[in-house]
Amino acid sequence: MNKGFIFDLDGVIVDTAKYHYLAWKKIADELKFNFTLEHNEQLKGVSRLRSLDILLEIGGMNKTENERIRLASEKNKFYLELIKNLDSNDLLPRSRSFIIDAKDKGIKIALGSASKNAAYILKKLGIAHLFDARIDGTMVSNAKPDPEVFIKGAELLSLKPSNCLVFEDAQAGIDAAKNAGMKCIGIGSSNILHSADMVVGGLDQISVLEALNILKN
Ligand code: G6P
Ligand code: MG
């Protein structure tokens, strides 16, 4: 079969989106401004440094380049502390079996994540071996909504973008999939996610065959 599924990591496969939020909130608390879950939607799927810039914009703050680098690395320290005990219990419902079902049907599987911690997280979850290809934040120069991460994923799978279906929980990621010329399933709420070909609450709400149908339409 010449079809591929490309999965975002945080918020699609594993429940780490809440830890990213908590780590950024700690930075906002230190800088003494309010950072809500609603604000956090703008950071989802976005690279670490770009997330910091959005956070500083929300707080109405300007920081020097050195200070920005320090804050981004402090956020990552908080984040790594929060995920240090991450294991397969943190996998989102059915994410592992959904990937296995897709593989059994001959679908190629890639990861397309903005995270520089992706390889570490996949290892902790014990699912690294399920992926035919991995593109993460250490391998791209342009953050979502730029399509680079997904275009590279399709290339590594030796598939045309039109034969790849992306699973994304972030608006920036859905936009990146669309910019790559790919179909996309949004994971979350249709009140928040726009322009996906379908939105479901999680990978436990859709079958591999239903997902494949979206790719065929
Ligand atoms: C994911 C998350 C973002 C995060 C980004 C970078 O896309 O949705 O919230 O900022 O990855 O992650 P990193 O682990 O490199 O800081
Ligand atoms: Mg995500």
Side-chain angles (χ1 to χ4, degrees):
M1 156 128 56
N2 63 340
K3 307 275 185 236
F5 284 179
I6 306 183
F7 295 88
D8 172 50
L9 177 65
D10 299 302
V12 171
I13 292 176
V14 60
D15 199 8
T16 40
K18 62 186 180 203
Y19 299 129
H20 278 294
Y21 169 65
L22 289 173
W24 284 125
K25 181 147 179 53
K26 217 159 166 209
I27 298 287
D29 288 348
E30 267 180 24
L31 297 173
K32 301 200 182 349
F33 63 85
N34 196 24
F35 176 61
T36 64
L37 274 170
E38 200 183 336
H39 289 138
N40 187 57
E41 284 301 314
Q42 298 173 50
L43 273 59
K44 281 191 182 171
V46 178
S47 71
R48 198 180 303 162
L49 273 176
R50 179 71 196 121
S51 295
L52 175 68
D53 288 344
I54 297 172
L55 186 84
L56 292 174
E57 250 169 61
I58 290 168
M61 294 197 165
N62 272 320
K63 294 282 170 196
T64 62
E65 179 68 8
N66 280 347
E67 187 62 1
R68 286 171 63 244
I69 290 167
R70 190 192 68 74
L71 287 167
S73 106
E74 196 182 338
K75 180 267 173 177
N76 197 48
K77 249 205 256 156
F78 291 148
Y79 178 64
L80 289 177
E81 181 60 29
L82 288 167
I83 64 166
K84 73 172 183 229
N85 296 322
L86 203 73
D87 63 20
S88 56
N89 292 317
D90 295 284
L91 284 164
L92 283 163
R94 211 176 119 66
S95 61
R96 185 194 168 94
S97 63
F98 187 90
I99 293 170
I100 291 172
D101 279 3
K103 281 180 85 70
D104 287 348
K105 292 191 167 51
I107 297 164
K108 292 186 188 161
I109 306 294
L111 186 85
S113 167
S115 174
K116 294 188 168 161
N117 296 303
Y120 169 72
I121 291 172
L122 288 185
K123 200 166 159 226
K124 276 180 110 42
L125 298 173
I127 56 167
H129 63 287
L130 296 178
F131 292 83
D132 300 302
R134 187 189 86 235
I135 303 288
D136 65 32
T138 66
M139 302 166 187
V140 292
S141 351
N142 303 297
K144 299 170 186 176
D146 188 281
E148 184 183 0
V149 62
F150 295 135
I151 297 281
K152 285 195 167 155
E155 272 169 19
L156 278 186
L157 296 179
S158 306
L159 291 174
K160 287 196 290 194
S162 56
N163 282 327
C164 294
L165 176 65
V166 170
F167 296 80
E168 258 294 349
D169 71 317
Q171 188 58 47
I174 293 172
D175 294 341
K178 292 285 128 189
N179 289 335
M182 296 178 185
K183 292 273 171 69
C184 182
I185 295 186
I187 304 289
S189 150
S190 52
N191 294 329
I192 294 177
L193 301 176
H194 306 284
S195 67
D197 295 280
M198 183 191 223
V199 177
V200 293
L203 291 173
D204 56 344
Q205 314 276 309
I206 185 169
S207 69
V208 168
L209 286 180
E210 283 168 327
L212 263 184
N213 262 335
I214 289 184
L215 205 43
K216 284 180 191 144
N217 288 333

